[in-house]
Amino acid sequence: QSALTQPASVSGSRGQSITISCAGTSSDVANYDLVSWYRQYPGEAPKLLIYEVNERPSGISTRFSGSKSGNSASLTISGLQAEDEALYYCCSYSGGSSWVFGGGTKVTVV
Amino acid sequence: QVQFVQSGAEVKKPGASVRVSCKASGYTFSHYAVHWVRQAPGQRLEWMGWINAGNGHTTFLHKFQGRITITRDTSATTAYMDLSSLTSEDTAVYYCARASIVGTTGFDYWGQGTLVTVSS
């Protein structure tokens, strides 16, 4: 089971929009609408931002949105803010009651 | 409110075993799953396995088969993860996280993490 592929880093200016990609395979991302996204600050536990590809939990800003096309999922952060600087992980169900995370993307706000 | 409190940091020697506990509160424990995820220093999140807190059924990532046991005590609303034959590569922060049984909710609540250090 290989990790999902994410870019190591993405940067953007305050107020801009950025998109983080998450490439999987026909065994995971393409086959199930069970992609979720997490934000992790240094020294903290991850926090759920998006589940079921594009659903936001209660309390999560509408600046975060998710999508999926084929083998790849994406997280878009609009109106980039300084507090968005963090690590972001995608995760997908991969069949057989198993799950797989991406490699993580460091977002920098310049 | 939903909360998970994990056991404290551990230092183990190679070849030893470790048990990490995860005490849940604020919801009906048996209606959800508890997953275990680890993160080695500076590395990505790695999903390890999960337990259906209702019926006790478990699934593990293949690489941990034979070394990992996940159990739960419904009366204590606590899940446990045991990992044996530890090596330095098992040094990581171990997290428990909640999800719906069918996995549709994502991992919506997480414990604070437990650092396990394996060193001779």
Side-chain angles (χ1 to χ4, degrees):
Chain A
Q1 184 194 63
S2 300
L4 305 176
T5 301
Q6 298 181 235
S9 62
V10 172
S11 63
S13 302
R14 291 192 191 198
Q16 267 190 331
S17 292
I18 62 169
T19 296
I20 302 168
S21 61
C22 171
T25 69
S26 58
S27 297
D28 39 59
V29 174
N31 210 24
Y32 307 97
D33 286 336
L34 292 175
V35 176
S36 51
W37 289 89
Y38 303 85
R39 177 182 65 201
Q40 186 181 36
Y41 292 122
E44 295 187 9
K47 181 181 178 64
L48 178 66
L49 298 175
I50 296 287
Y51 65 97
E52 287 190 278
V53 177
N54 56 14
E55 298 293 327
R56 273 186 309 276
S58 172
I60 297 300
S61 170
T62 56
R63 297 188 302 107
F64 296 94
S65 61
S67 64
K68 189 186 90 166
S69 178
N71 290 355
S72 187
S74 297
L75 173 72
T76 297
I77 309 174
S78 57
L80 205 59
Q81 300 177 4
E83 68 203 49
D84 298 327
E85 205 164 272
L87 271 170
Y88 292 80
Y89 290 92
C90 62
C91 180
S92 174
Y93 182 67
S94 57
S97 295
S98 296
W99 299 79
V100 61
F101 281 93
T105 298
K106 180 175 172 56
V107 168
T108 303
V109 181
V110 299
Chain B
Q1 70 285 16
V2 176
Q3 191 175 10
F4 288 100
V5 178
Q6 299 184 219
S7 48
E10 302 265 11
V11 178
K12 296 292 182 180
K13 294 194 181 304
S17 299
V18 69
R19 164 169 280 201
V20 180
S21 66
C22 171
K23 166 74 175 175
S25 60
Y27 72 99
T28 303
F29 182 70
S30 60
H31 288 184
Y32 287 82
V34 176
H35 291 248
W36 289 90
V37 177
R38 76 176 185 180
Q39 188 171 37
Q43 301 301 308
R44 70 177 186 92
L45 300 171
E46 180 177 37
W47 179 83
M48 301 178 70
W50 68 285
I51 186 166
N52 178 327
N55 63 19
H57 181 74
T58 55
T59 300
F60 311 117
L61 187 62
H62 182 74
K63 68 179 280 186
F64 296 111
Q65 296 277 2
R67 282 210 303 141
I68 190 171
T69 304
I70 299 176
T71 56
R72 94 291 189 216
D73 180 338
T74 54
S75 63
T77 65
T78 300
Y80 303 91
M81 190 280 298
D82 294 282
L83 192 63
S84 62
S85 303
L86 293 170
T87 72
S88 58
E89 295 188 350
D90 294 314
T91 293
V93 175
Y94 290 75
Y95 295 101
C96 61
R98 189 187 82 160
S100 64
I101 299 296
V102 294
T104 51
T105 60
F107 306 126
D108 56 359
Y109 290 92
W110 295 65
Q112 82 276 20
T114 297
L115 175 62
V116 175
T117 303
V118 183
S119 174
S120 54

